[in-house]
Amino acid sequence: MNNLEWVDEAWSKVNSKIDRTSKKIGANFPHASVNGTYQLEEPFWWTAGFWPGLLWLVYRDSKDESLKKIAEQCEEKLDKVITDYYRLDHDMGFMWTLTSVARYKLLGEEDSKRRALLVANLLMGRFNAQGNYIRAWNPWHEGEDNSGWAIIDCLMNLPLLFWASEVTGDPRYGHVAKKHGETVLSNFIRKDGSVHHIIRFDPESGERIEAIGGQGFAPESAWSRGASWAVYGLSLLYKHTKEDKYLQAAKSVSHFFIANLPEDYVPHWDFRLPEGVTKYRDSSAGAIAACGLLLLANQVAPTEAEIYENAGVKILKSLYENYGDLENPNQDGLILSGTSHYPEGKNIDVPLIYGDYYFVEGLSILKGHEELFW
Ligand code: GLY
C-alpha cells in the first residue's frame, strides 16, 4: 500500500485530537457534532460502537492506556443492551464488532469473545428462513409491523457472523451470513450498480413486495451511504467467502460509486437528486467507501487494483484536505459535512462519528494495517 507523507501528517493530527477529545467525551456514545460538540446517544443506538472502535484503532499504534480504558468502559456499558430485547436490532454487528471483537483481536480478552459470541447468536435469531434475510429494525411505534424489512446497511453486520464461525468452528453463523448475502445480490443491487436502501418482503412467504426509499431521496434514487455500505460490505463478503459472485457485485457497486463522485471525490448525500434539492455532501459515505475500495484493491490482480486504490486514496486525501477539521479546538469531530438522515431533516452537514471512524480506519489501512476488525 502507498506510503504517503500526508497520511503520516494526518495520523499525527488525529492522535493529538483524540488525546484531547477522549478526555471530553470519555466512555460515552457520540453520534453527530452540533455546533462543534458531539451529541451523546443512549448505548442502544446503532452508532455506539464507532467511538470505542476509533479509540481501538488509535490505541493499536499509540498503546495509550487511557484510550484502552475508555474503549473497555464503553464495552461494559453495552452489556445492559444485550439483555434489552426491545432495543436490539440488526445493528448488533456494528456495535460489538468494534467493541468486543476489536478487543478480542487486539488483546485476546476472553470476556470480549464471550460477549461477541452471545451477540452473534442474537443476530442469528433475526434471520427469516423463508425470505433468507436478517430482519432490520424492530417496530418504531406501537402496532407497526416491519418484520419483513431488510436493509443494505446490514451487510456490515455479517462479519460478526463470519468471525463467530471462525472462532467456534461452527459453520451455522457463516451459513446465515451467506444466505443474507445472496438475498442482497438478488434483491438490492440494480443493473447499473446502484442499490436500494430497504426491501420489504412478506415475512410469511418470503416473497419480495417492494423497495422503500429509507434514508435516500426516493425508492429509485441512490442514497450514497447505502452505496458505500454495499461497496465495503460486498468487499468483506468476498474476503470472508472467496465466492466470485460477491467479487463481481463489489466491483459493480464500486464502479457506480466512483463514476458518480463529484470533482473533489466526496459524495453528495444521494447520487440521484432532482433539481432544487440541496446537494449536501455526506463525508461519511466517502470514508466508508474508501475503506471498501482499499480492501477490494487488495483482493484483485495488480492491474485491476489501481482503479480502486486510486479512488480510495483520493477520497481519503480529499476528506483530510478539504473536510478535515483536525486542529480546531472548538470542534469535536474529525471530518466535516456528514449527512445522517436528510429525509427526516436530521444531522445535515455535520461531523458524524461513523465518518470519523472510517476516516481513521482508512488512514490506518494506508499506514499498512491490513488486519481489520470486520
Ligand atoms: N445504518 C444507518 C445509516 O447508515 O445511517
Side-chain angles (χ1 to χ4, degrees):
M1 199 56 75
N2 290 333
N3 189 7
L4 305 160
E5 234 171 73
W6 68 268
V7 175
D8 292 332
E9 188 186 281
W11 188 259
S12 153
K13 288 183 192 173
V14 164
N15 270 260
S16 305
K17 183 145 189 177
I18 295 301
D19 180 52
R20 181 173 62 75
T21 56
S22 61
K23 292 180 177 69
K24 181 178 173 191
I25 297 169
N28 286 298
F29 303 100
H31 178 196
S33 171
V34 178
N35 298 325
T37 297
Y38 257 129
Q39 309 298 297
L40 304 180
E41 295 285 355
E42 294 293 329
F44 59 75
W45 193 239
W46 76 278
T47 53
F50 294 111
W51 171 240
L54 195 161
L55 297 178
W56 283 125
L57 288 173
V58 176
Y59 167 82
R60 178 162 63 174
D61 282 8
S62 72
K63 299 290 179 278
D64 178 341
E65 284 295 312
S66 69
L67 303 188
K68 172 173 172 260
K69 195 166 166 208
I70 296 171
E72 288 173 345
Q73 286 169 344
C74 286
E75 183 184 344
E76 277 162 31
K77 276 192 172 181
L78 283 181
D79 276 355
K80 70 173 182 211
V81 185
I82 299 180
T83 49
D84 181 355
Y85 171 80
Y86 297 103
R87 301 288 189 179
L88 276 179
D89 62 20
H90 63 288
D91 283 327
M92 286 179 255
F94 277 115
M95 295 160 76
W96 278 275
T97 299
L98 297 183
T99 51
S100 300
V101 175
R103 186 174 176 217
Y104 177 69
K105 285 187 174 177
L106 292 176
L107 303 173
E109 177 62 50
E110 281 300 318
D111 225 26
S112 295
K113 179 182 172 187
R114 177 191 55 76
R115 277 192 184 97
L117 285 175
L118 174 57
V119 172
N121 279 281
L122 294 169
L123 182 56
M124 287 232 296
R126 298 187 74 83
F127 185 64
N128 182 315
Q130 200 62 25
N132 285 323
Y133 63 88
I134 293 174
R135 175 184 174 171
W137 304 287
N138 303 323
W140 293 103
H141 52 80
E142 185 76 27
E144 183 184 31
D145 178 10
N146 52 10
S147 57
W149 289 30
I151 66 172
I152 193 73
D153 329 17
C154 193
L155 281 173
M156 293 301 292
N157 292 306
L158 306 183
L160 176 66
L161 299 178
F162 288 117
W163 170 83
S165 274
E166 194 184 303
V167 298
T168 60
D170 181 342
R172 286 177 307 140
Y173 306 93
H175 291 162
V176 164
K178 284 197 260 186
K179 288 282 177 205
H180 182 88
E182 281 160 17
T183 298
V184 169
L185 294 192
S186 53
N187 286 277
F188 283 76
I189 305 175
R190 303 187 187 102
K191 282 201 171 70
D192 66 358
S194 65
V195 298
H196 294 287
H197 182 197
I198 304 172
I199 299 291
R200 183 161 74 96
F201 298 92
D202 180 328
E204 203 58 67
S205 68
E207 294 294 309
R208 174 188 165 132
I209 298 175
E210 61 176 345
I212 300 174
Q215 281 162 263
F217 181 76
E220 294 306 324
S221 72
W223 179 44
S224 64
R225 198 163 58 256
S228 73
W229 294 135
V231 168
Y232 202 3
L234 291 164
S235 298
L236 284 163
L237 252 169
Y238 179 61
K239 171 179 181 270
H240 288 291
T241 63
K242 290 285 169 252
E243 289 181 31
D244 187 61
K245 61 190 178 193
Y246 295 120
L247 177 62
Q248 299 314 323
K251 286 184 189 178
S252 166
V253 296
S254 295
H255 295 166
F256 177 83
F257 195 92
I258 295 169
N260 281 280
L261 287 171
E263 263 176 28
D264 70 0
Y265 281 87
V266 173
H268 300 120
W269 71 274
D270 194 307
F271 289 125
R272 237 177 240 144
L273 287 174
E275 288 296 316
V277 178
T278 311
K279 291 183 166 183
Y280 290 105
R281 291 290 197 282
D282 180 10
S283 55
S284 73
I288 295 158
C291 294
L293 291 166
L294 294 175
L295 175 62
L296 188 54
N298 250 342
Q299 302 186 93
V300 296
T303 43
E304 266 191 281
E306 206 179 320
I307 179 177
Y308 308 118
E309 181 169 343
N310 278 347
V313 171
K314 279 183 177 155
I315 293 170
L316 290 167
K317 189 159 189 251
S318 181
L319 289 173
Y320 172 52
E321 290 178 348
N322 303 319
Y323 297 83
D325 206 7
L326 302 177
E327 290 167 299
N328 178 0
N330 299 314
Q331 172 58 262
D332 292 349
L334 301 179
I335 56 169
L336 306 173
S337 301
T339 295
S340 150
H341 201 319
Y342 182 93
E344 286 187 357
K346 284 186 188 147
N347 302 320
I348 295 167
D349 202 14
V350 292
L352 298 167
I353 193 63
Y354 35 97
D356 285 1
Y357 170 83
Y358 287 100
F359 173 63
V360 175
E361 186 182 299
L363 292 179
S364 80
I365 295 169
L366 291 181
K367 275 173 64 62
H369 282 294
E370 284 183 8
E371 68 291 5
L372 301 170
F373 298 150
W374 308 103

